Amino acid sequence: MFQRYAFSVRDVLKDGDNVLKVSFLSPVLYASDQRRAHSAYRVPPDCPPDVQHGECHVNFIRKAQSSFSWDWGPSFPTMGLWRGVRLEAFDVLQLVLLSSVPLYSVSSSQWRVHVELHVDALQTTNGTISLSVPELESELIFQMQFLRGRTKKSFDLHINTSSEVKLWWPNGHGEQPSYLLTVGGFQDGFTILNTETKVYFRTVELVQEPVVGSPGLSFYFRINGKPIFLKGSNWIPAHSFQDRVTPDVLRDLLQSAVDANMNALRVWGGGVYEHDLFYSLCDEMGIMVWQDFMFACAMYPTDEDFLQTVREEVLHQVQRLKSHPSIIIWSGNNENEAALATNWFDIPESEKPTYLTDYVKLYVDNIRGIVQEEDQSRPFLVSSPTNGFESEQEGFVAKNPYDAHYGDTHFYTYTEDCLDWRTFPRTRFASEYGYQSWPSFSTLQPVSIEEDWSYNSPFFEHRQHHDSGNQQMLLQASLHFNLPNATDPHRRFTDTLYITQVMQAQCVKAQTEFYRRSRSEILEGKGGTMGALYWQLNDVWQAPSWSSIAFGGKWKMLHYFAQSFFSALLPVSFEDEGMLFIYAVSDLSHDLKLSAVVSVYDWSALDPVCTRRSESLLIPGGSAAAIFKQRVNPLLGGCGRCSRLTCLLAFHLEDSSGQRGPTNHHFLSSPKDAQGLQRPNITASVQEDKSLLTVTLHSSAVAPFVWLDVGNIPGRFSSNGFLMLSANTTVSFNAWRPTSAAELSKALAITSLADVY
Ligand code: BMA
């Protein structure tokens, strides 16, 4: 599944019809045969947990590890040819693969493009080759001999130092300019090679250096010399049947990432090396890709046959993908260092050395060796989570790969209060964290029937692949919200779907805001956080999962929240022992003089009770700092008859030109304890002006988590899941296929928190 195969059929083709016959083995039987043949010791896990309804021994076959089931996905162990078959014919020679990797030399202040041509020649061929980037007035012409058969040739095209090279930047930090590299080959006046490819110039460093006031090391990315906070999510396969991943599916998902102000995605190691188009789109959109190799949550065999296929896979994938500037790091596996270090599979202490040796052999000696030989333009990390250099010091498996002083962390907890920032790791880099939710009814409806439409139905049990997941969602939601109790069972059902999305959106928001405000602080040796990639962006089927975009592309409430909590300039609030803090977080490149404006609202009234403003403070670009600090009690005391139960806060940042960044809010108690919160009786009218569709809402009361749902009409609102603090508000609907005001109006359903109980 992870390799490309080419066979010469020169000697078997005959005149007339030719038949290509392909035979397949069952991947499930193959995996289990391989397991049986590996009798010396166990390579765990044998099977996935029962709740996943999956197949066993997927670690013995090189194929999408999640295709035998995962905690968010079904078991569809596909077999077949998934990236097409073609018969190719050529004269003289054929270009099999072209890669181009720009490299910058600090000592000579010069760019060069390292170009590799993989060529198949019918016979030994002499010719003239030209490489050029016309826009940068850089060219290289030379004589070349290609021997018969497949060969690889490497060249360095030095970029003219008098040409100005425009750099590729991540989304939010600049543009993504590209240049055309043309490759020509000529023999006796005839063209034998003629192709062009895009080249983007950027540098990337993963900085792991001593940190003042900390025993550990930093862990952050510098792009073109600038430290960049990575904001985004984790990417899983977009479909169980990869041939159904159309260009539109990829485009919509990646555009949705960019629209939510993301600049990074981690292509997680239990899925697939994505399609070429995925990476080309990431290049164009400025999405940085953390690329795992496809090994996840397991031990792996290291017998020679297995290693041989892995070596071919890694070589192929690195050669195929290394020209993409979007890929900023290669990473050896998902969670296998942690699995070994914290003994997920109950390996007896005496047998541990065998597994450690296998681990180093696979990821370090083989995979890392090949990657570093093939690609010097980006860093390689052995695992995620890992302590990076510190893990290497400890023999590649650290005692505690989750140590917040080093590297990246994955953090999950379902029982603790997800809004309590004290429970989050003050990590250098959060590469996974998240909470489940259910998709909306319109996503579930096409794959279910009426008897499935209750939270405790067998359908709901079956699609939940994470142990106790459905209960965990309700438990977490009940910490802060009243659970839906409508007497109409269908209403109670759809309200419950809604409340899981409210909970997920709030939980991930709280944690992401904590990571973002921790970027400039080192407390007790921890902090300096420079990445927040929540788990997970997308879905592989219609089921409960950690995703922010449901299968089919509909944004969950979390994805709308991400638009705000990933915005370049963000006000973040939290309380510490009765003290309210507001931080200004800036990912901008320039400094701003900002003040925080805090408005106190009564749950029972639409106008603010009072407003406080902080002194203005200089917030340097790329930093986070406390801008407002006041004890909650005096703040409320000075503000009419407000108490924690009757009031809430809304706040934003301002400079001399007015509001900058989104408005955020701070609940002073759990919304379930709010006094004065009323049913808002929201009414809506839909207007159409040319192709712009807008919805104007009218509310009679403060309404938290206002959710607009238009069923199966594909598209997204400009804002959704919001806190409505004024009587009227207007949002637009960006339709992904032609629709009308009448159709939208008919489908529109509005839910807010007080409507569900
Ligand atoms: C992580 C991931 C996945 C998994 C997710 C949710 O650790 O790497 O294996 O789907 O947690 O449990």
Side-chain angles (χ1 to χ4, degrees), residues 75 108 162 245 299 368 392 401 408 446 449 514 565 605 691 728 749:
S75 174
S108 62
S162 50
V245 180
M299 304 289 102
R368 186 172 83 167
E392 297 189 19
D408 64 330
I449 55 173
F514 172 77
F565 66 60
S691 59
N728 298 302

Side-chain angles (χ1 to χ4, degrees), residues 684-697 730-731 740-741 744-745:
S685 67
V686 183
Q687 295 90 26
E688 191 174 358
D689 183 12
K690 296 193 183 93
S691 59
L692 185 69
L693 289 158
T694 54
V695 181
T696 301
L697 303 174
T730 300
V731 295
S740 63
L744 212 61
S745 182

Side-chain angles (χ1 to χ4, degrees), residues 654-671:
E654 274 185 18
D655 70 0
S656 52
S657 66
Q659 177 166 352
R660 302 290 307 260
T663 299
N664 207 338
H665 56 262
H666 183 87
F667 295 145
L668 296 158
S669 64
S670 290

Side-chain angles (χ1 to χ4, degrees), residues 70-72 268 297 334-335 410 412 414 432 466 535 546:
W70 212 260
D71 60 1
W72 38 256
W268 167 76
C297 305
N334 174 70
E335 298 185 341
H410 296 187
Y412 294 94
Y414 302 109
E432 277 191 25
H466 168 64
W535 183 266
W546 296 256

